Amino acid sequence: MRWFQDITLGNYYPAESVVHRLDPRLKMTSMALLMGMTFAVSNPWAVLLQSFALLAAVWLSRIPMTYFLRSLRFFVWLFFFTAVLHLFFTPGEPIPGSPFLGFIRITHEGIAEGGLISWRLITVIALSSLLTATTTPLEITRGMESILSPLEKLRFPVQDFSLMMMMAIRFIPVLSDETQKIWKAQKSRGADLGHGGIKRRANALVSILLPVFVGLFRRADDLAKALEARGYVPGGRRTSMKQLLWTGRESLALIVILIWASAILTLQF
């Protein structure tokens, strides 16, 4: 439960960096490109270059590395389960002396595949955390509206969809904060939430989840009332006080990203 409280995905981290100042459209399209390439590469040198690029982006953002590690702590069991699943169930040449029970065995291919899949999951989550940490929710909404604007010709509700996605991202840290408050409130009442058998732990988990969801529904209702008070009309056309500007800085960053992507593809193929 403590790992869930420390999740940073969806939180904006204010800092003065070149990554923070980049246009949100560039950051969103770059993240999509990087995620696609993360699932496409498997060459060790390409994986190494991709990892180096991610670390360089984190360094340029001037955000502490511990901030991103806190995000990954919540998913550590997912990484472990994925690695173990591929470790034992990937067909291939078994390792001499490895445990063998029926069809369960450790193979060289399983170690490589488990490590690769876990690396992909870590990279995707880190990229998502980097985007939300360096881009405000309002910038994400405006950037998504601009990227999806051609779909308006097909009568797709671009602005409503962008607002919905922004609120979904913002509710991740809200869920974390609400869980932390309920956790502390229950412990202050003397609740033992970390010990006992399966039944006792399940009851303790219910005592946390029910108030959390009640609090989330209350926040959602307050948000709906706030939108109505500000004159929000679903499907209505809205304007932005501050327009997005594409400058030479974004063009230079785009050139660097394309060169880097070409280098990775060259190493892969």
Side-chain angles (χ1 to χ4, degrees), residues 171 174 177-178 181 214-224:
F171 258 79
V174 169
D177 294 339
E178 195 73 23
K181 290 179 182 178
V214 171
L216 287 178
F217 286 128
R218 183 179 63 252
R219 286 175 180 259
D221 184 62
D222 293 341
L223 178 60

Side-chain angles (χ1 to χ4, degrees), residues 56-199:
V58 174
W59 178 76
L60 289 174
S61 68
R62 296 186 178 181
I63 298 178
M65 183 62 66
T66 54
Y67 184 86
F68 292 94
L69 295 179
R70 284 172 54 195
S71 272
L72 298 178
R73 286 180 59 189
F74 176 71
F75 301 96
V76 63
W77 287 109
L78 174 62
F79 304 148
F80 177 77
F81 176 77
T82 302
V84 170
L85 194 64
H86 286 84
L87 185 67
F88 287 102
F89 295 98
T90 300
E93 180 183 357
I95 298 178
S98 62
F100 181 87
L101 180 61
F103 63 92
I104 301 177
R105 56 184 178 179
I106 300 178
T107 63
H108 294 281
E109 291 78 5
I111 295 176
E113 188 70 15
L116 178 62
I117 298 299
S118 298
W119 170 81
R120 287 173 175 172
L121 293 175
I122 293 173
T123 303
V124 167
I125 294 173
L127 286 171
S128 303
S129 182
L130 180 62
L131 174 66
T132 57
T134 59
T135 314
T136 63
L138 181 59
E139 290 177 337
I140 293 177
T141 303
R142 287 162 46 206
M144 190 174 298
E145 288 178 2
S146 179
I147 294 173
L148 300 178
S149 57
L151 296 179
E152 291 182 343
K153 298 179 179 179
L154 302 177
R155 299 184 180 275
F156 183 79
V158 173
Q159 289 190 329
D160 292 339
F161 177 78
S162 301
L163 179 62
M164 179 186 66
M165 293 300 298
M166 185 270 289
M167 289 191 295
I169 294 174
R170 284 299 302 150
F171 258 79
I172 297 177
V174 169
L175 177 61
S176 177
D177 294 339
E178 195 73 23
T179 303
Q180 188 173 6
K181 290 179 182 178
I182 300 300
W183 176 273
K184 292 181 179 179
Q186 296 288 28
K187 293 198 70 174
S188 67
R189 295 183 177 91
D192 188 5
L193 305 176
H195 302 86
I198 297 179
K199 184 177 181 180

Side-chain angles (χ1 to χ4, degrees), residues 244-256:
L244 298 177
L245 296 176
W246 187 279
T247 64
R249 179 178 55 213
E250 280 73 25
S251 299
L252 178 60
L254 179 60
I255 293 174
V256 172

Side-chain angles (χ1 to χ4, degrees), residues 201-267:
R201 287 175 179 266
N203 292 332
L205 183 62
V206 171
S207 68
I208 296 293
L209 292 180
L210 286 180
V212 166
F213 280 104
V214 171
L216 287 178
F217 286 128
R218 183 179 63 252
R219 286 175 180 259
D221 184 62
D222 293 341
L223 178 60
K225 293 178 180 178
L227 289 174
E228 291 180 357
R230 288 167 172 79
Y232 172 76
V233 178
R237 185 69 183 178
R238 299 183 301 276
T239 59
S240 179
M241 183 177 66
K242 186 177 179 182
Q243 299 297 323
L244 298 177
L245 296 176
W246 187 279
T247 64
R249 179 178 55 213
E250 280 73 25
S251 299
L252 178 60
L254 179 60
I255 293 174
V256 172
I257 292 173
L258 292 177
I259 293 175
W260 161 81
S262 301
I264 292 182
L265 291 177
T266 301
L267 288 174

Side-chain angles (χ1 to χ4, degrees), residues 36-48 50 112-113 116-117 119-120 264 267-269:
M37 295 188 64
T38 297
F39 286 100
V41 300
S42 57
N43 182 281
W45 290 107
V47 169
L48 184 62
Q50 176 86 328
E113 188 70 15
L116 178 62
I117 298 299
W119 170 81
R120 287 173 175 172
I264 292 182
L267 288 174
Q268 174 65 27
F269 300 108

